Amino acid sequence: MKALFFILLFTLSCQIIFSQTAPGLIWHQDYGAPEYPEIVTAEALDNADNFFVAGTVYFGTYGNVIVNKYDAFGNLQWNRMYNNNYPAPLPDKPLLLHAPGNGGVTVVGYINRSHALGHIFNYDTYGNVSGDYFFGDSTLGNTLPLRAEAANDGSGYYLLGALNGISKAFKTDNTGNILWSQPLHNNYNANSVGLCLDPGGNLVA
C-alpha cells in the first residue's frame, strides 16, 4: 500500500517552451492526492534535458523528501522518497538539486531527527542512492541551511543558514565536510539574505 500511495504523492505542473516554435505547452505531468500535501522546493535540468524535481510530502507529523526524474518528453523515469519518518517539529526539505550530467542528481538540504542536520545525498541515473552524507553537530544545535548553491568548479556547496545553531555562510565538500564557515552579521537573518555566486565563483550573500 505504501508503494501505491507513493505513486500518487507528487504534484507537478511543468511547462517547457522551445524558442524555435510558437509558445505552447510541450508536456504536463500531475501526481498527487489531497490527503498527502506536497510542496515543490527544487528543480534541475541536466545536459540531456532530463528534468528533476524535488519537494516535501507530508504524512501527518512526518515530512519526507521526494524526488522525480523525467526525460525530455515528460516520461517519468523514476520517483523516490527518502524515508526519514522521524516525528520532528520541522519537515525534511530539499533546497538544491544539482544535476552534473551523468543522469543522476545530488540533493542538498536538511533532515530532522532529534535536531536538524544538513543533508547531501545522491541518486544515480537509475534512482539508486549512491551517497548519503550528513553535516552539523546535533550536540551544539540545529544545522538548518536555508539557501544553497553548487560551486562552479564542482568542489562542493555553498550554504546559508544555521550551522550548529549559529547563522553562518559556509561551504561543504561533496560529502558534507565543512570546508569553511563565517558568521553572518548580527543584524542579518538568514531567511532574508540571498545567496549567489559571482562570475569568478565567489560567494555573495
Side-chain angles (χ1 to χ4, degrees):
M1 289 298 293
K2 197 167 187 180
L4 178 61
F5 287 151
F6 177 54
I7 294 173
L8 299 174
L9 294 178
F10 207 45
T11 300
L12 168 67
S13 294
C14 174
Q15 180 170 324
I16 299 178
I17 298 173
F18 295 96
S19 60
Q20 294 90 341
T21 62
L25 183 67
I26 304 302
W27 58 263
H28 178 280
Q29 291 283 7
D30 287 317
Y31 288 87
E35 63 269 32
Y36 299 112
E38 312 91 10
I39 298 176
V40 174
T41 55
E43 67 283 325
L45 189 70
D46 70 11
N47 55 12
D49 284 342
N50 294 302
F51 183 58
F52 301 87
V53 61
T56 303
V57 61
Y58 293 86
F59 297 94
T61 58
Y62 304 116
N64 292 329
V65 171
I66 180 172
V67 181
N68 283 9
K69 178 184 178 180
Y70 299 88
D71 67 15
F73 304 100
N75 300 306
L76 180 65
Q77 302 301 292
W78 46 257
N79 53 358
R80 299 289 185 267
M81 181 169 62
Y82 190 96
N83 195 353
N84 181 26
N85 278 353
Y86 194 98
L90 291 173
D92 305 339
K93 183 177 181 181
L95 299 172
L96 172 71
L97 290 180
H98 179 223
N102 59 5
V105 68
T106 298
V107 186
V108 182
Y110 58 80
I111 190 169
N112 281 280
R113 292 179 176 172
S114 58
H115 286 76
L117 293 171
H119 194 199
I120 298 172
F121 61 103
N122 308 309
Y123 288 116
D124 66 16
T125 189
Y126 305 107
N128 302 308
V129 175
S130 58
D132 196 3
Y133 313 102
F134 303 92
F135 54 93
D137 186 340
S138 62
T139 66
L140 299 177
N142 287 319
T143 293
L144 196 66
L146 300 175
R147 307 280 189 274
E149 289 284 347
N152 291 339
D153 61 2
S155 61
Y157 301 95
Y158 296 101
L159 300 110
L160 193 67
L163 176 61
N164 301 328
I166 300 173
S167 290
K168 291 186 175 183
F170 57 102
K171 183 181 180 181
T172 72
D173 65 13
N174 292 308
T175 59
N177 297 300
I178 305 297
L179 301 179
W180 58 258
S181 66
Q182 292 290 340
L184 296 178
H185 189 278
N186 290 336
N187 293 329
Y188 282 1
N189 181 326
N191 282 301
S192 61
V193 176
L195 177 66
C196 67
L197 303 181
D198 70 13
N202 302 301
L203 176 67
V204 179

